[in-house]
mmCIF file of all heavy atoms in Angstrom:
data_model
loop_
_atom_site.group_PDB
_atom_site.id
_atom_site.type_symbol
_atom_site.label_atom_id
_atom_site.label_comp_id
_atom_site.label_asym_id
_atom_site.label_seq_id
_atom_site.Cartn_x
_atom_site.Cartn_y
_atom_site.Cartn_z
ATOM 1 N N VAL A 242 5.739 39.761 4.333
ATOM 2 C CA VAL A 242 4.351 39.290 4.254
ATOM 3 C C VAL A 242 3.386 40.315 3.653
ATOM 4 O O VAL A 242 2.692 40.010 2.676
ATOM 5 C CB VAL A 242 3.858 38.812 5.637
ATOM 6 C CG1 VAL A 242 2.376 38.457 5.590
ATOM 7 C CG2 VAL A 242 4.676 37.617 6.112
ATOM 8 N N PRO A 243 3.275 41.544 4.208
ATOM 9 C CA PRO A 243 2.253 42.459 3.678
ATOM 10 C C PRO A 243 2.415 42.756 2.192
ATOM 11 O O PRO A 243 1.428 42.737 1.441
ATOM 12 C CB PRO A 243 2.445 43.717 4.535
ATOM 13 C CG PRO A 243 3.070 43.233 5.800
ATOM 14 C CD PRO A 243 3.968 42.116 5.366
ATOM 15 N N TYR A 246 1.630 39.574 0.033
ATOM 16 C CA TYR A 246 0.218 39.193 0.073
ATOM 17 C C TYR A 246 -0.663 40.164 -0.713
ATOM 18 O O TYR A 246 -1.722 39.777 -1.210
ATOM 19 C CB TYR A 246 -0.276 39.122 1.514
ATOM 20 C CG TYR A 246 0.117 37.850 2.232
ATOM 21 C CD1 TYR A 246 1.201 37.088 1.808
ATOM 22 C CD2 TYR A 246 -0.582 37.408 3.343
ATOM 23 C CE1 TYR A 246 1.558 35.943 2.467
ATOM 24 C CE2 TYR A 246 -0.222 36.243 4.013
ATOM 25 C CZ TYR A 246 0.854 35.521 3.571
ATOM 26 O OH TYR A 246 1.207 34.372 4.223
ATOM 27 N N THR A 247 -0.258 41.419 -0.801
ATOM 28 C CA THR A 247 -1.088 42.406 -1.480
ATOM 29 C C THR A 247 -0.735 42.583 -2.948
ATOM 30 O O THR A 247 -1.435 43.302 -3.657
ATOM 31 C CB THR A 247 -0.989 43.773 -0.774
ATOM 32 O OG1 THR A 247 0.390 44.160 -0.668
ATOM 33 C CG2 THR A 247 -1.596 43.716 0.618
ATOM 34 N N VAL A 312 2.491 42.491 16.983
ATOM 35 C CA VAL A 312 2.819 43.287 15.792
ATOM 36 C C VAL A 312 1.752 43.114 14.711
ATOM 37 O O VAL A 312 1.305 44.089 14.093
ATOM 38 C CB VAL A 312 4.207 42.888 15.260
ATOM 39 C CG1 VAL A 312 4.464 43.536 13.894
ATOM 40 C CG2 VAL A 312 5.292 43.297 16.239
ATOM 41 N N GLY A 313 1.342 41.867 14.485
ATOM 42 C CA GLY A 313 0.346 41.619 13.453
ATOM 43 C C GLY A 313 -0.987 42.273 13.758
ATOM 44 O O GLY A 313 -1.620 42.875 12.886
ATOM 45 N N ALA A 314 -1.426 42.182 15.014
ATOM 46 C CA ALA A 314 -2.721 42.744 15.393
ATOM 47 C C ALA A 314 -2.712 44.266 15.304
ATOM 48 O O ALA A 314 -3.630 44.879 14.747
ATOM 49 C CB ALA A 314 -3.096 42.291 16.795
ATOM 50 N N PHE A 315 -1.663 44.895 15.834
ATOM 51 C CA PHE A 315 -1.595 46.357 15.761
ATOM 52 C C PHE A 315 -1.443 46.830 14.319
ATOM 53 O O PHE A 315 -1.989 47.869 13.925
ATOM 54 C CB PHE A 315 -0.446 46.883 16.619
ATOM 55 C CG PHE A 315 -0.794 47.047 18.067
ATOM 56 C CD1 PHE A 315 -0.229 46.229 19.032
ATOM 57 C CD2 PHE A 315 -1.699 48.020 18.464
ATOM 58 C CE1 PHE A 315 -0.551 46.375 20.373
ATOM 59 C CE2 PHE A 315 -2.032 48.177 19.804
ATOM 60 C CZ PHE A 315 -1.462 47.357 20.767
ATOM 61 N N GLY A 316 -0.710 46.056 13.521
ATOM 62 C CA GLY A 316 -0.589 46.404 12.107
ATOM 63 C C GLY A 316 -1.925 46.326 11.397
ATOM 64 O O GLY A 316 -2.255 47.182 10.563
ATOM 65 N N ALA A 317 -2.719 45.312 11.719
ATOM 66 C CA ALA A 317 -4.034 45.153 11.087
ATOM 67 C C ALA A 317 -4.973 46.283 11.476
ATOM 68 O O ALA A 317 -5.771 46.756 10.652
ATOM 69 C CB ALA A 317 -4.639 43.799 11.474
ATOM 70 N N VAL A 318 -4.889 46.725 12.714
ATOM 71 C CA VAL A 318 -5.761 47.807 13.185
ATOM 72 C C VAL A 318 -5.535 49.082 12.378
ATOM 73 O O VAL A 318 -6.480 49.844 12.105
ATOM 74 C CB VAL A 318 -5.521 48.076 14.684
ATOM 75 C CG1 VAL A 318 -6.219 49.357 15.124
ATOM 76 C CG2 VAL A 318 -6.012 46.897 15.515
ATOM 77 N N GLY A 319 -4.312 49.300 11.944
ATOM 78 C CA GLY A 319 -3.980 50.547 11.261
ATOM 79 C C GLY A 319 -4.173 50.540 9.762
ATOM 80 O O GLY A 319 -3.846 51.532 9.095
ATOM 81 N N GLN A 320 -4.687 49.456 9.197
ATOM 82 C CA GLN A 320 -4.830 49.361 7.737
ATOM 83 C C GLN A 320 -6.206 49.858 7.276
ATOM 84 O O GLN A 320 -7.200 49.692 7.975
ATOM 85 C CB GLN A 320 -4.639 47.911 7.288
ATOM 86 C CG GLN A 320 -3.247 47.369 7.538
ATOM 87 C CD GLN A 320 -2.174 48.166 6.829
ATOM 88 O OE1 GLN A 320 -2.209 48.328 5.609
ATOM 89 N NE2 GLN A 320 -1.218 48.671 7.591
ATOM 90 N N ASP A 321 -6.231 50.432 6.072
ATOM 91 C CA ASP A 321 -7.479 50.934 5.497
ATOM 92 C C ASP A 321 -7.994 50.076 4.350
ATOM 93 O O ASP A 321 -9.074 50.339 3.822
ATOM 94 C CB ASP A 321 -7.283 52.367 4.980
ATOM 95 C CG ASP A 321 -7.069 53.351 6.114
ATOM 96 O OD1 ASP A 321 -7.744 53.208 7.154
ATOM 97 O OD2 ASP A 321 -6.207 54.238 5.981
ATOM 98 N N ARG A 322 -7.236 49.059 3.935
ATOM 99 C CA ARG A 322 -7.663 48.180 2.856
ATOM 100 C C ARG A 322 -7.876 46.776 3.397
ATOM 101 O O ARG A 322 -7.156 46.330 4.304
ATOM 102 C CB ARG A 322 -6.629 48.157 1.724
ATOM 103 C CG ARG A 322 -6.448 49.479 1.004
ATOM 104 C CD ARG A 322 -5.349 49.376 -0.039
ATOM 105 N NE ARG A 322 -5.608 48.253 -0.943
ATOM 106 C CZ ARG A 322 -4.659 47.442 -1.407
ATOM 107 N NH1 ARG A 322 -3.405 47.598 -1.035
ATOM 108 N NH2 ARG A 322 -4.977 46.474 -2.225
ATOM 109 N N LEU A 323 -8.854 46.075 2.815
ATOM 110 C CA LEU A 323 -9.136 44.714 3.263
ATOM 111 C C LEU A 323 -7.908 43.828 3.153
ATOM 112 O O LEU A 323 -7.578 43.080 4.084
ATOM 113 C CB LEU A 323 -10.284 44.119 2.439
ATOM 114 C CG LEU A 323 -11.693 44.642 2.711
ATOM 115 C CD1 LEU A 323 -12.680 44.004 1.741
ATOM 116 C CD2 LEU A 323 -12.108 44.364 4.147
ATOM 117 N N GLU A 324 -7.229 43.875 2.001
ATOM 118 C CA GLU A 324 -6.050 43.028 1.823
ATOM 119 C C GLU A 324 -4.983 43.351 2.859
ATOM 120 O O GLU A 324 -4.317 42.451 3.371
ATOM 121 C CB GLU A 324 -5.484 43.206 0.409
ATOM 122 C CG GLU A 324 -6.287 42.532 -0.685
ATOM 123 C CD GLU A 324 -5.629 42.682 -2.045
ATOM 124 O OE1 GLU A 324 -4.772 43.581 -2.195
ATOM 125 O OE2 GLU A 324 -5.970 41.902 -2.947
ATOM 126 N N GLY A 325 -4.805 44.654 3.173
ATOM 127 C CA GLY A 325 -3.816 45.037 4.174
ATOM 128 C C GLY A 325 -4.175 44.538 5.559
ATOM 129 O O GLY A 325 -3.323 44.031 6.293
ATOM 130 N N VAL A 326 -5.450 44.653 5.917
ATOM 131 C CA VAL A 326 -5.905 44.153 7.223
ATOM 132 C C VAL A 326 -5.646 42.660 7.346
ATOM 133 O O VAL A 326 -5.079 42.184 8.344
ATOM 134 C CB VAL A 326 -7.406 44.452 7.429
ATOM 135 C CG1 VAL A 326 -7.912 43.761 8.701
ATOM 136 C CG2 VAL A 326 -7.659 45.941 7.512
ATOM 137 N N PHE A 327 -6.026 41.917 6.309
ATOM 138 C CA PHE A 327 -5.895 40.461 6.390
ATOM 139 C C PHE A 327 -4.437 40.014 6.290
ATOM 140 O O PHE A 327 -4.064 38.984 6.859
ATOM 141 C CB PHE A 327 -6.736 39.806 5.294
ATOM 142 C CG PHE A 327 -8.209 40.090 5.408
ATOM 143 C CD1 PHE A 327 -9.021 40.174 4.282
ATOM 144 C CD2 PHE A 327 -8.792 40.282 6.653
ATOM 145 C CE1 PHE A 327 -10.374 40.442 4.396
ATOM 146 C CE2 PHE A 327 -10.148 40.553 6.780
ATOM 147 C CZ PHE A 327 -10.943 40.643 5.645
ATOM 148 N N ALA A 328 -3.596 40.779 5.586
ATOM 149 C CA ALA A 328 -2.175 40.435 5.493
ATOM 150 C C ALA A 328 -1.492 40.576 6.844
ATOM 151 O O ALA A 328 -0.781 39.668 7.303
ATOM 152 C CB ALA A 328 -1.490 41.320 4.449
ATOM 153 N N TYR A 329 -1.718 41.710 7.511
ATOM 154 C CA TYR A 329 -1.122 41.883 8.844
ATOM 155 C C TYR A 329 -1.749 40.923 9.849
ATOM 156 O O TYR A 329 -1.070 40.433 10.761
ATOM 157 C CB TYR A 329 -1.291 43.330 9.310
ATOM 158 C CG TYR A 329 -0.212 44.253 8.788
ATOM 159 C CD1 TYR A 329 -0.416 45.004 7.645
ATOM 160 C CD2 TYR A 329 1.016 44.349 9.437
ATOM 161 C CE1 TYR A 329 0.574 45.853 7.152
ATOM 162 C CE2 TYR A 329 2.015 45.182 8.965
ATOM 163 C CZ TYR A 329 1.788 45.938 7.814
ATOM 164 O OH TYR A 329 2.774 46.760 7.333
ATOM 165 N N SER A 330 -3.040 40.663 9.679
ATOM 166 C CA SER A 330 -3.696 39.701 10.553
ATOM 167 C C SER A 330 -3.037 38.333 10.455
ATOM 168 O O SER A 330 -2.919 37.614 11.460
ATOM 169 C CB SER A 330 -5.173 39.595 10.182
ATOM 170 O OG SER A 330 -5.793 38.518 10.850
ATOM 171 N N SER A 331 -2.577 37.966 9.261
ATOM 172 C CA SER A 331 -1.918 36.663 9.089
ATOM 173 C C SER A 331 -0.635 36.573 9.890
ATOM 174 O O SER A 331 -0.272 35.498 10.381
ATOM 175 C CB SER A 331 -1.631 36.420 7.600
ATOM 176 O OG SER A 331 -2.813 36.142 6.901
ATOM 177 N N VAL A 332 0.068 37.694 10.017
ATOM 178 C CA VAL A 332 1.269 37.708 10.858
ATOM 179 C C VAL A 332 0.886 37.377 12.299
ATOM 180 O O VAL A 332 1.531 36.561 12.965
ATOM 181 C CB VAL A 332 1.973 39.082 10.787
ATOM 182 C CG1 VAL A 332 3.143 39.132 11.768
ATOM 183 C CG2 VAL A 332 2.453 39.367 9.375
ATOM 184 N N GLY A 333 -0.177 38.020 12.790
ATOM 185 C CA GLY A 333 -0.607 37.766 14.154
ATOM 186 C C GLY A 333 -1.164 36.376 14.354
ATOM 187 O O GLY A 333 -0.893 35.716 15.367
ATOM 188 N N GLN A 334 -1.925 35.892 13.369
ATOM 189 C CA GLN A 334 -2.562 34.585 13.521
ATOM 190 C C GLN A 334 -1.554 33.441 13.505
ATOM 191 O O GLN A 334 -1.751 32.428 14.189
ATOM 192 C CB GLN A 334 -3.604 34.392 12.422
ATOM 193 C CG GLN A 334 -4.772 35.363 12.500
ATOM 194 C CD GLN A 334 -5.551 35.225 13.807
ATOM 195 O OE1 GLN A 334 -5.971 34.136 14.176
ATOM 196 N NE2 GLN A 334 -5.737 36.335 14.511
ATOM 197 N N LYS A 373 -8.768 32.329 6.837
ATOM 198 C CA LYS A 373 -8.035 33.370 6.110
ATOM 199 C C LYS A 373 -8.158 33.173 4.608
ATOM 200 O O LYS A 373 -8.191 34.165 3.849
ATOM 201 C CB LYS A 373 -6.568 33.376 6.546
ATOM 202 C CG LYS A 373 -5.847 34.682 6.239
ATOM 203 C CD LYS A 373 -6.601 35.900 6.723
ATOM 204 C CE LYS A 373 -6.688 35.993 8.217
ATOM 205 N NZ LYS A 373 -5.469 36.288 8.893
ATOM 206 N N LEU A 376 -11.412 34.825 3.812
ATOM 207 C CA LEU A 376 -11.372 36.291 3.875
ATOM 208 C C LEU A 376 -10.577 36.895 2.725
ATOM 209 O O LEU A 376 -10.970 37.933 2.163
ATOM 210 C CB LEU A 376 -10.798 36.732 5.222
ATOM 211 C CG LEU A 376 -11.691 36.431 6.430
ATOM 212 C CD1 LEU A 376 -10.996 36.778 7.729
ATOM 213 C CD2 LEU A 376 -13.018 37.174 6.325
ATOM 214 N N PHE A 377 -9.470 36.290 2.354
ATOM 215 C CA PHE A 377 -8.702 36.816 1.221
ATOM 216 C C PHE A 377 -9.492 36.694 -0.085
ATOM 217 O O PHE A 377 -9.478 37.604 -0.920
ATOM 218 C CB PHE A 377 -7.357 36.102 1.105
ATOM 219 C CG PHE A 377 -6.262 36.717 1.923
ATOM 220 C CD1 PHE A 377 -5.666 36.007 2.957
ATOM 221 C CD2 PHE A 377 -5.825 38.006 1.673
ATOM 222 C CE1 PHE A 377 -4.655 36.576 3.728
ATOM 223 C CE2 PHE A 377 -4.809 38.588 2.435
ATOM 224 C CZ PHE A 377 -4.226 37.870 3.460
ATOM 225 N N ALA A 380 -12.150 39.341 -0.076
ATOM 226 C CA ALA A 380 -11.590 40.649 -0.420
ATOM 227 C C ALA A 380 -11.418 40.786 -1.932
ATOM 228 O O ALA A 380 -11.631 41.863 -2.504
ATOM 229 C CB ALA A 380 -10.243 40.840 0.288
ATOM 230 N N ASP A 390 -10.766 47.895 -2.559
ATOM 231 C CA ASP A 390 -11.028 47.238 -1.274
ATOM 232 C C ASP A 390 -10.746 48.193 -0.125
ATOM 233 O O ASP A 390 -10.568 47.781 1.012
ATOM 234 C CB ASP A 390 -10.204 45.950 -1.132
ATOM 235 C CG ASP A 390 -8.707 46.213 -1.080
ATOM 236 O OD1 ASP A 390 -8.274 47.328 -1.455
ATOM 237 O OD2 ASP A 390 -7.960 45.309 -0.674
ATOM 238 N N ASP A 391 -10.720 49.498 -0.439
ATOM 239 C CA ASP A 391 -10.528 50.531 0.575
ATOM 240 C C ASP A 391 -11.783 50.609 1.441
ATOM 241 O O ASP A 391 -12.893 50.825 0.940
ATOM 242 C CB ASP A 391 -10.257 51.881 -0.091
ATOM 243 C CG ASP A 391 -9.734 52.920 0.902
ATOM 244 O OD1 ASP A 391 -10.310 53.033 1.990
ATOM 245 O OD2 ASP A 391 -8.751 53.601 0.567
ATOM 246 N N LEU A 392 -11.617 50.444 2.738
ATOM 247 C CA LEU A 392 -12.752 50.421 3.658
ATOM 248 C C LEU A 392 -13.580 51.703 3.584
ATOM 249 O O LEU A 392 -14.793 51.679 3.814
ATOM 250 C CB LEU A 392 -12.262 50.201 5.090
ATOM 251 C CG LEU A 392 -11.626 48.837 5.401
ATOM 252 C CD1 LEU A 392 -11.008 48.842 6.788
ATOM 253 C CD2 LEU A 392 -12.653 47.735 5.283
ATOM 254 N N LEU A 413 -15.080 36.588 9.718
ATOM 255 C CA LEU A 413 -14.676 37.498 10.788
ATOM 256 C C LEU A 413 -15.014 36.929 12.165
ATOM 257 O O LEU A 413 -14.219 37.013 13.101
ATOM 258 C CB LEU A 413 -15.352 38.855 10.591
ATOM 259 C CG LEU A 413 -14.958 39.636 9.330
ATOM 260 C CD1 LEU A 413 -15.774 40.920 9.222
ATOM 261 C CD2 LEU A 413 -13.469 39.947 9.317
ATOM 262 N N LEU A 416 -12.608 34.255 12.993
ATOM 263 C CA LEU A 416 -11.321 34.830 13.367
ATOM 264 C C LEU A 416 -11.338 35.313 14.811
ATOM 265 O O LEU A 416 -10.358 35.148 15.551
ATOM 266 C CB LEU A 416 -10.997 35.997 12.419
ATOM 267 C CG LEU A 416 -9.526 36.328 12.177
ATOM 268 C CD1 LEU A 416 -8.785 35.129 11.598
ATOM 269 C CD2 LEU A 416 -9.407 37.519 11.241
ATOM 270 N N LEU A 460 -7.491 42.535 20.328
ATOM 271 C CA LEU A 460 -7.140 43.304 19.135
ATOM 272 C C LEU A 460 -7.796 42.714 17.882
ATOM 273 O O LEU A 460 -8.143 43.456 16.952
ATOM 274 C CB LEU A 460 -5.621 43.341 18.966
ATOM 275 C CG LEU A 460 -4.868 44.154 20.030
ATOM 276 C CD1 LEU A 460 -3.364 43.978 19.875
ATOM 277 C CD2 LEU A 460 -5.243 45.629 19.940
ATOM 278 N N THR A 461 -7.980 41.400 17.866
ATOM 279 C CA THR A 461 -8.683 40.777 16.740
ATOM 280 C C THR A 461 -10.122 41.280 16.674
ATOM 281 O O THR A 461 -10.647 41.578 15.585
ATOM 282 C CB THR A 461 -8.665 39.242 16.867
ATOM 283 O OG1 THR A 461 -7.318 38.776 16.895
ATOM 284 C CG2 THR A 461 -9.387 38.599 15.684
ATOM 285 N N LEU A 463 -11.098 44.113 17.660
ATOM 286 C CA LEU A 463 -11.032 45.514 17.251
ATOM 287 C C LEU A 463 -10.943 45.656 15.735
ATOM 288 O O LEU A 463 -11.732 46.393 15.118
ATOM 289 C CB LEU A 463 -9.834 46.190 17.925
ATOM 290 C CG LEU A 463 -9.655 47.683 17.653
ATOM 291 C CD1 LEU A 463 -10.861 48.466 18.121
ATOM 292 C CD2 LEU A 463 -8.382 48.195 18.355
ATOM 293 N N TYR A 464 -9.995 44.933 15.096
ATOM 294 C CA TYR A 464 -9.849 45.152 13.655
ATOM 295 C C TYR A 464 -10.916 44.439 12.831
ATOM 296 O O TYR A 464 -11.277 44.907 11.757
ATOM 297 C CB TYR A 464 -8.431 44.832 13.160
ATOM 298 C CG TYR A 464 -7.962 43.399 13.226
ATOM 299 C CD1 TYR A 464 -8.446 42.429 12.359
ATOM 300 C CD2 TYR A 464 -6.958 43.020 14.117
ATOM 301 C CE1 TYR A 464 -7.975 41.125 12.392
ATOM 302 C CE2 TYR A 464 -6.479 41.731 14.173
ATOM 303 C CZ TYR A 464 -6.993 40.780 13.303
ATOM 304 O OH TYR A 464 -6.515 39.494 13.334
ATOM 305 N N THR A 465 -11.455 43.338 13.326
ATOM 306 C CA THR A 465 -12.546 42.710 12.579
ATOM 307 C C THR A 465 -13.824 43.547 12.663
ATOM 308 O O THR A 465 -14.576 43.649 11.686
ATOM 309 C CB THR A 465 -12.826 41.288 13.102
ATOM 310 O OG1 THR A 465 -13.007 41.317 14.525
ATOM 311 C CG2 THR A 465 -11.690 40.346 12.755
ATOM 312 N N THR A 466 -14.061 44.154 13.827
ATOM 313 C CA THR A 466 -15.217 45.047 13.965
ATOM 314 C C THR A 466 -15.069 46.252 13.042
ATOM 315 O O THR A 466 -16.038 46.698 12.411
ATOM 316 C CB THR A 466 -15.354 45.517 15.425
ATOM 317 O OG1 THR A 466 -15.503 44.376 16.273
ATOM 318 C CG2 THR A 466 -16.562 46.431 15.589
ATOM 319 N N ARG A 467 -13.866 46.760 12.951
ATOM 320 C CA ARG A 467 -13.614 47.900 12.059
ATOM 321 C C ARG A 467 -13.875 47.522 10.606
ATOM 322 O O ARG A 467 -14.433 48.312 9.834
ATOM 323 C CB ARG A 467 -12.171 48.360 12.231
ATOM 324 C CG ARG A 467 -11.793 49.582 11.411
ATOM 325 C CD ARG A 467 -10.472 50.153 11.873
ATOM 326 N NE ARG A 467 -10.082 51.261 11.019
ATOM 327 C CZ ARG A 467 -9.278 51.136 9.978
ATOM 328 N NH1 ARG A 467 -8.762 49.944 9.672
ATOM 329 N NH2 ARG A 467 -8.957 52.177 9.233
ATOM 330 N N VAL A 468 -13.486 46.309 10.212
ATOM 331 C CA VAL A 468 -13.752 45.850 8.851
ATOM 332 C C VAL A 468 -15.250 45.773 8.584
ATOM 333 O O VAL A 468 -15.750 46.238 7.557
ATOM 334 C CB VAL A 468 -13.090 44.478 8.602
ATOM 335 C CG1 VAL A 468 -13.639 43.823 7.328
ATOM 336 C CG2 VAL A 468 -11.586 44.627 8.500
ATOM 337 N N TRP A 469 -15.979 45.182 9.534
ATOM 338 C CA TRP A 469 -17.415 44.982 9.310
ATOM 339 C C TRP A 469 -18.178 46.303 9.335
ATOM 340 O O TRP A 469 -18.961 46.602 8.434
ATOM 341 C CB TRP A 469 -17.976 44.026 10.356
ATOM 342 C CG TRP A 469 -19.445 43.782 10.165
ATOM 343 C CD1 TRP A 469 -20.463 44.243 10.950
ATOM 344 C CD2 TRP A 469 -20.058 43.036 9.117
ATOM 345 N NE1 TRP A 469 -21.671 43.832 10.460
ATOM 346 C CE2 TRP A 469 -21.451 43.080 9.325
ATOM 347 C CE3 TRP A 469 -19.567 42.328 8.027
ATOM 348 C CZ2 TRP A 469 -22.368 42.466 8.484
ATOM 349 C CZ3 TRP A 469 -20.475 41.702 7.184
ATOM 350 C CH2 TRP A 469 -21.843 41.763 7.401
#
Side-chain angles (χ1 to χ4, degrees):
V242 174
Y246 281 22
T247 54
V312 171
F315 276 111
V318 169
Q320 295 301 303
D321 291 321
R322 295 177 54 219
L323 287 176
E324 285 183 341
V326 172
F327 298 148
Y329 276 96
S330 170
S331 288
V332 174
Q334 295 299 307
K373 200 50 67 70
L376 292 175
F377 272 117
D390 65 344
D391 193 314
L392 293 172
L413 296 176
L416 207 59
L460 292 173
T461 301
L463 183 60
Y464 66 73
T465 52
T466 301
R467 183 167 176 265
V468 166
W469 180 252

